[in-house]
Amino acid sequence: MSDCKISNQLRRLRFEHGEMTQQELAEAIGVTRQTINAIELGKYSPSLEVAFKMVAVLGVAIDDAFRYEGKPPRRR
């Protein structure tokens, strides 16, 4: 799974959403500001639940916020 990389556009989307702070997004979805920071920096991949909550608050589609950049798994 080391080839898995999920990039995101959360920082840009927050600013386009009324210059929302990390703290405001965190409070809106029930996580810490540190969690939002780690996700934005690519140090942590959010759960599906957190990812869907984020895009709901930001008013965008999931693929506008997150992008999978990795090799597809090998078929056996």
Side-chain angles (χ1 to χ4, degrees):
M1 229 5 163
S2 62
D3 293 332
C4 177
K5 174 71 174 142
I6 299 175
S7 65
N8 69 74
Q9 297 296 312
L10 293 173
R11 181 176 164 80
R12 178 183 59 80
L13 293 169
R14 280 192 301 104
F15 283 103
E16 290 176 359
H17 193 75
E19 297 188 15
M20 178 182 275
T21 65
Q22 288 180 342
Q23 185 65 42
E24 290 169 332
L25 180 56
E27 289 173 2
I29 65 171
V31 298
T32 65
R33 184 203 59 79
Q34 290 85 353
T35 298
I36 300 298
N37 185 54
I39 293 168
E40 285 186 3
L41 293 174
K43 295 181 178 183
Y44 173 74
S45 294
S47 68
L48 281 173
E49 180 180 1
V50 168
F52 277 107
K53 285 180 178 181
M54 288 176 156
V55 298
V57 168
L58 295 169
V60 298
I62 195 87
D63 59 342
D64 290 334
F66 297 96
R67 181 97 40 211
Y68 173 76
E69 299 170 354
K71 295 178 183 176
R74 288 181 41 179
R75 297 186 117 182
R76 293 178 185 213

